[in-house]
Amino acid sequence: MNSNWSVSLGLGFAQTRTMQRFDFRDSVPVSIAQGFESDALGNFPIFGYLGLGQEVKYEGIQTIQMLSIPMAIGYQFPINRFWSFNSEISTRYNRLFATQGKTLNYHDLSLLQANDEVYRSGIWSARLSAGAEYRMSRNQYLGLRVNTQGAFTPLYKKDASVVNRGWSLGMSVFYTMKLF
């Protein structure tokens, strides 16, 4: 837009990997609770228990991969000829295309394959970030940002008993090539 402000549209890739370690035996919620309706995944509110369930023992990594279409507005404040402060606010549509690993079925406390029966195929999210970047050439930059991000749309299907965490804090490394 000018020397300090920019608008961007792009294509991104994100991957989350979560280490999981389950080793327990617990009571199982009653599967049919009189007067209650199940959520979209068939889970009922806990109102009683049926003895100790099977032992759940699992150690593995759950991986979720997605392609993103980010739309952003950025601000760049030059510190000197090579370094500048930058900030960005973006929204993005994320399309899940690969999930691996297992998750916990909260209905009977068994392991459940992480797949499209549990997760939505796409989610909307936003990110706010600030950091520094180094100018490598006239139109190429390498930088580091601290960011907070979160999803507007839950990762799990509608009315699931499990909901994802609202916002997270992280750090990202980025490479930018400006066309104009």
Side-chain angles (χ1 to χ4, degrees), residues 6-82:
S6 63
V7 175
S8 63
L9 176 67
L11 185 63
F13 169 79
Q15 175 177 282
T16 61
R17 295 172 55 95
T18 307
M19 175 66 175
Q20 297 173 316
R21 202 173 279 141
F22 300 129
D23 186 2
F24 66 90
R25 181 185 299 263
D26 202 353
S27 299
V28 178
V30 171
S31 60
I32 299 176
Q34 194 97 12
F36 290 102
E37 299 210 8
S38 68
D39 65 14
L41 300 177
N43 298 318
F44 288 84
I46 297 174
F47 116 27
Y49 292 92
L50 297 174
L52 288 176
Q54 66 182 2
E55 182 180 14
V56 177
K57 194 168 189 141
Y58 171 72
E59 186 171 321
I61 296 176
Q62 183 186 50
T63 304
I64 299 173
Q65 296 176 344
M66 59 184 102
L67 285 175
S68 303
I69 302 173
M71 299 159 278
I73 295 176
Y75 178 76
Q76 182 183 46
F77 179 77
I79 297 169
N80 61 33
R81 195 174 129 200
F82 295 104

Side-chain angles (χ1 to χ4, degrees), residues 98-174:
T99 57
Q100 295 174 328
K102 299 188 190 273
T103 189
L104 194 59
N105 180 335
Y106 290 92
H107 177 60
D108 62 7
L109 302 178
S110 63
L111 290 172
L112 178 67
Q113 193 66 33
N115 58 26
D116 59 358
E117 291 178 22
V118 177
Y119 301 117
R120 293 176 185 259
S121 59
I123 59 173
W124 283 94
S125 64
R127 179 177 10 196
L128 177 64
S129 61
E133 64 186 14
Y134 177 75
R135 184 176 185 169
M136 298 167 36
S137 70
R138 182 176 162 263
N139 61 348
Q140 296 180 44
Y141 298 85
L142 184 63
L144 179 71
R145 288 187 186 136
V146 174
N147 55 62
T148 180
Q149 58 192 9
F152 295 123
T153 311
L155 178 62
Y156 294 92
K157 290 212 170 166
K158 185 177 185 222
D159 295 331
S161 58
V162 180
V163 294
N164 53 303
R165 190 171 21 153
W167 290 87
S168 65
L169 182 65
M171 187 175 284
S172 59
V173 175
F174 65 93

